[in-house]
Each structure stands twice: as C-alpha cells, then as structure tokens.
Amino acid sequence: MRKLQTTCVASAFLYGMAMTTPSLATEFEFTGFVEPELQVFPNRGNVAGQKRFNSSVAIEVTAEAFWDNGDQFVVFTPFARLDQNDGNRTHADIRELKYAYVTGDWEFRVGIDKVFWGVTEVAHLVDIINQTDQVESLDGEEKLGQPMVAVSTVQDFGVFDFYLLPYFRERTFPSMGGRPAFDIPVDETQTMYGSNDKRQHLDFATRYSNTFEDWDVGVAYFQGTGRDPVLTPGFDTGGNLVLIPLYAQIKQASIDVQATKDAWLYKFEGFWRRELGEEYIQATGGIEYTFYQIFSSASDLGIVAEYIWDDRGATNANAFANDAVAGLRWTPNDEASTAVLLASVVDMDTQAVSISLEAERRFGDDYFVSLEARVFENVQRTDPLFSFADDDFVQLRVARYF
C-alpha cells in the first residue's frame, strides 16, 4: 500500500507538470480494463493445500497526457490482481510511470517503463531489461515495470538505445497454495545478490537496431544484475526445505535477427553471457511459413518450427537446453480479431512434452475473451519442469475494456 501511495504522489506531480506547462494545451486519454479469471486444474496438486479451482480479478488503467504537439507526454499504468488462493499472486505493480520528451531525432524517457527485445515465439532469450512477473504467466511474457533513464536516437544508419537501470526488481513466485508452482517453495526473504549494492546496483544496457532490406537486426549489450535467479536448496527458519534465489552479476552480448521473404519468416536470437565466473551461449531460431487465404477464405494459417539450445544443458534456472518447438497459428482476419495458437515443446533429452493452446476473440466493442490451456506429458523426475507435471490447467479470462 505504501508503494502504491508513493506512486500516486509521483503521478500527481507529473500530472501537475503537464498542466502547468505554459506553451500548449494538454490532451488526456484514459483507458483500461477489468478482467475476471477462472483457472481449472484437472489433476491433484503435488503439494498439500493446492486447489483444483482458482479465481481472480485483475484491473489495469492507463492515463496518458500529451502536450507540445505530442513531443512531451506522461504515461501512468498501474496494475493489480486479487487472487482467491495465492497470496503472492495478489499483488500490485506499476507497469509504466514515465515522462518522455522528443526533440528531432532524439527521445528521452525517465521513470518506470517496459522494453521488449526478441523475435522468436517461445523462448525470449535476449529480452533482459524487465523482470518476469511469473505469478501472472508461466511463459514469462508478463513483465514488471523497470525504473530507468533511457535515451533513443533514430539516424539514417540505425536506431541506438541507451539505458541506465538504477533499481532491480526481484522475480515474483507463486506461494505454496498457488498453481502452477514449484514443489519446493521459493524463500524470497533469503534472497542473495552478487553485488553488495543489492537492488541499488546501477545496471546499464545499449542496443543498436536497423533494417537492411528484408532483414531486421538488433545487437545489444547488458551489464548488471541478471534477471534470471539461480535457485539453490536451503532451509527456512523452521527447518523446512526451500529454494533461495541468487541474482548474480552478468555481462551479456546478444543478437536478434528476423528476415521476411514472401510468406516465410526466418528468426534467430541468442546471447553470450558471463555469470558466476563461467561463460556460456544460449540460442534459439526457426521459421514461420504462412498459407494466406486458405480454402479461398480470409483465413491465414501459419506453421511455426523452432529449436532452443544451451551449451550448459538443462538446469533449474533454464528448462530449455535441447528443445524442439512446433506450432500452428490460425488467424481468420475477422472484425473480432480472432487468433488461435497451438504449440508444443519437446525436450529432446528427456522426451518431456509441453502443449499449449492460446485463443482470443473480441466481443462487441468492449469485451475481449482469452482462453489458455497447458498440458505437461511424460515429464521425468529429472526434468526441470517436473514440478509442473501435475499442473495441467485451463484458464479463461474475460476483459471489459473502458
């Protein structure tokens, strides 16, 4: 609550700054959604107290103020969820609270923001600026807001981005009553850091991106506190077995490439990283081919194939080390923005299989419905995903936009 009050004070300050700017009128936009959610877990959980049914509700609001012909603007996006069974999933976050100023070929941003890097479908290896909000989504696509100072410039020879990241966000983890979750709880009270500055370590990153005819290329460098925690076994104050997160200092150089050739998409992203005195490489790539207007209709059908590789092998911090991905994406191109993605990930070492189905559709002007299902099959005890072996689920969300 104290964090939310502090953020509201900061938002009021930025709002006042926009209102008192003497030059030009200010335009305001308010949007958002309220989204009830229902989750069903067909199997009994591995941990006592885990339920087969769970409900929650989320709300997100975005307030935007523009002035100076749009060259200056403020964006404030708070998010909150109230969960029935998981106390850790009942949480609030500031996804965005930023001021931006554009002048010529330059843009300056300060505050809390979200940045996405990457091109592949399943594993977003190079996406390192924001921390993962793991209680929101198992696939790692939901992110926490990141405090930053950012400078971007667009030149004839490419786009340059520079980031100073003065405060670190720890990853969120489900509680013992949450699902899907690790069988051994994560004890965030014992979190360790590779730097004595802990959360206050000043990280930095830079990225160059450009388009060369059919090729989109991004090259980046990051140095600071790694977003992926190393989970090590330990004991809590009651003598119970727990996992203790360690956030190490890392140096990472990465590249992401996407080529568009008619109906073909060729994708690759990977990085070199130095962490805890060791160096390793992780990469993923693949293709996507789209059949347009199948059966003489407006529908498109895409075929996705990717491969994920890590030269360390599979670890608790990295479930993808020798994995193949296959998927189908159906887009009917209707007014309701319907989309369906069916994908499977196969561990080539253990033969474990993860299958996911994601479908979404708009109803009318204000409602958006999304359905997600995940199934885990043939997951061996030695597999990093073993904790989720009994956490198959179906999830329904109905968002009311305003």
Side-chain angles (χ1 to χ4, degrees), residues 57-262:
V57 60
I59 181 171
E60 182 176 287
V61 179
T62 298
E64 300 173 288
F66 302 88
W67 68 98
D68 194 9
N69 295 320
D71 288 341
Q72 299 188 65
F73 56 93
V74 171
V75 180
F76 176 42
T77 306
F79 170 86
R81 180 179 297 279
L82 178 63
D83 192 89
Q84 176 186 9
N85 296 312
D86 189 348
N88 287 3
R89 199 163 184 251
T90 295
H91 70 302
D93 182 50
I94 305 304
R95 300 309 202 200
E96 293 179 282
L97 176 57
K98 64 182 177 183
Y99 163 74
Y101 174 60
V102 181
T103 175
D105 298 330
W106 294 81
E107 179 179 286
F108 302 87
R109 303 191 308 279
V110 60
I112 299 173
D113 204 358
K114 293 174 68 175
V115 176
F116 175 77
W117 297 346
V119 294
T120 53
E121 187 68 43
V122 173
H124 307 301
L125 302 182
V126 305
D127 188 30
I128 195 172
I129 297 294
N130 292 82
Q131 179 59 274
T132 299
D133 191 353
Q134 193 160 309
V135 297
E136 279 299 308
S137 177
L138 189 63
D139 58 18
E141 294 190 357
E142 295 294 333
K143 300 291 182 176
L144 299 172
Q146 171 62 48
M148 69 176 66
V149 177
V151 179
S152 301
T153 180
V154 180
Q155 303 295 330
D156 293 337
F157 45 86
V159 179
F160 292 87
D161 300 295
F162 306 92
Y163 304 91
L164 288 178
L165 312 171
Y167 185 80
F168 176 75
R169 304 291 308 278
E170 294 181 4
R171 181 166 298 186
T172 58
F173 293 99
S175 66
M176 288 291 290
R179 300 182 71 180
F182 295 118
D183 292 343
I184 304 174
V186 178
D187 188 353
E188 296 166 271
T189 65
Q190 299 190 61
T191 298
M192 299 182 294
Y193 288 88
S195 167
N196 291 332
D197 293 330
K198 298 183 178 180
R199 291 187 178 186
Q200 282 73 36
H201 186 274
L202 181 62
D203 305 338
F204 74 90
T206 183
R207 186 173 189 263
Y208 166 77
S209 58
N210 203 358
T211 299
F212 304 93
E213 295 183 348
D214 299 330
W215 296 79
D216 297 315
V217 180
V219 180
Y221 180 79
F222 173 92
Q223 183 170 324
T225 307
R227 273 44 181 168
D228 298 322
V230 178
L231 300 176
T232 58
F235 297 94
D236 63 14
T237 55
N240 302 305
L241 181 64
V242 295
L243 297 175
I244 301 173
L246 166 63
Y247 294 97
Q249 290 293 295
I250 70 170
K251 297 179 180 179
Q252 175 175 305
S254 65
I255 183 172
D256 54 275
V257 180
Q258 178 171 289
T260 305
K261 303 287 187 179
D262 297 323

Side-chain angles (χ1 to χ4, degrees), residues 231-363:
L231 300 176
T232 58
F235 297 94
D236 63 14
T237 55
N240 302 305
L241 181 64
V242 295
L243 297 175
I244 301 173
L246 166 63
Y247 294 97
Q249 290 293 295
I250 70 170
K251 297 179 180 179
Q252 175 175 305
S254 65
I255 183 172
D256 54 275
V257 180
Q258 178 171 289
T260 305
K261 303 287 187 179
D262 297 323
W264 291 89
L265 285 179
Y266 301 91
K267 305 178 182 183
F268 174 85
E269 59 181 89
F271 63 74
W272 165 90
R273 179 181 293 179
R274 182 173 181 83
E275 179 180 26
L276 297 175
E278 297 182 354
E279 299 180 4
Y280 61 93
I281 296 173
Q282 190 173 12
T284 180
I287 58 98
E288 182 172 346
Y289 183 83
T290 301
F291 297 93
Y292 294 103
Q293 299 179 342
I294 58 175
F295 306 119
S296 300
S297 69
S299 298
D300 300 332
L301 181 65
I303 300 176
V304 180
E306 295 178 353
Y307 177 70
I308 311 167
W309 173 78
D310 189 321
D311 68 354
R312 299 171 297 171
T315 67
N316 288 332
N318 168 49
F320 301 119
N322 180 22
D323 295 70
V325 179
L328 293 174
R329 188 198 314 276
W330 176 59
T331 308
N333 296 311
D334 56 358
E335 294 183 359
S337 302
T338 305
V340 179
L341 174 64
L342 176 65
S344 63
V345 181
V346 180
D347 189 314
M348 305 303 289
D349 294 322
T350 67
Q351 309 307 309
V353 179
S354 171
I355 301 173
S356 64
L357 173 67
E358 300 176 12
E360 55 188 28
R361 179 181 176 86
R362 189 181 71 249
F363 289 88

Side-chain angles (χ1 to χ4, degrees), residues 39-54 86 134 138 174-184 353-356 372-379 384-395:
Q39 294 175 311
V40 179
F41 298 87
N43 302 321
R44 182 178 179 180
N46 289 335
V47 179
Q50 289 182 332
K51 309 296 184 181
R52 292 191 177 185
F53 296 92
N54 184 57
D86 189 348
Q134 193 160 309
L138 189 63
S175 66
M176 288 291 290
R179 300 182 71 180
F182 295 118
D183 292 343
I184 304 174
V353 179
S354 171
I355 301 173
S356 64
E372 179 179 354
R374 291 187 181 270
V375 177
F376 304 93
E377 294 290 343
N378 195 37
V379 183
L385 292 178
F386 179 74
S387 288
F388 309 121
D390 293 320
D391 281 341
D392 301 347
F393 69 89
V394 177
Q395 173 180 286

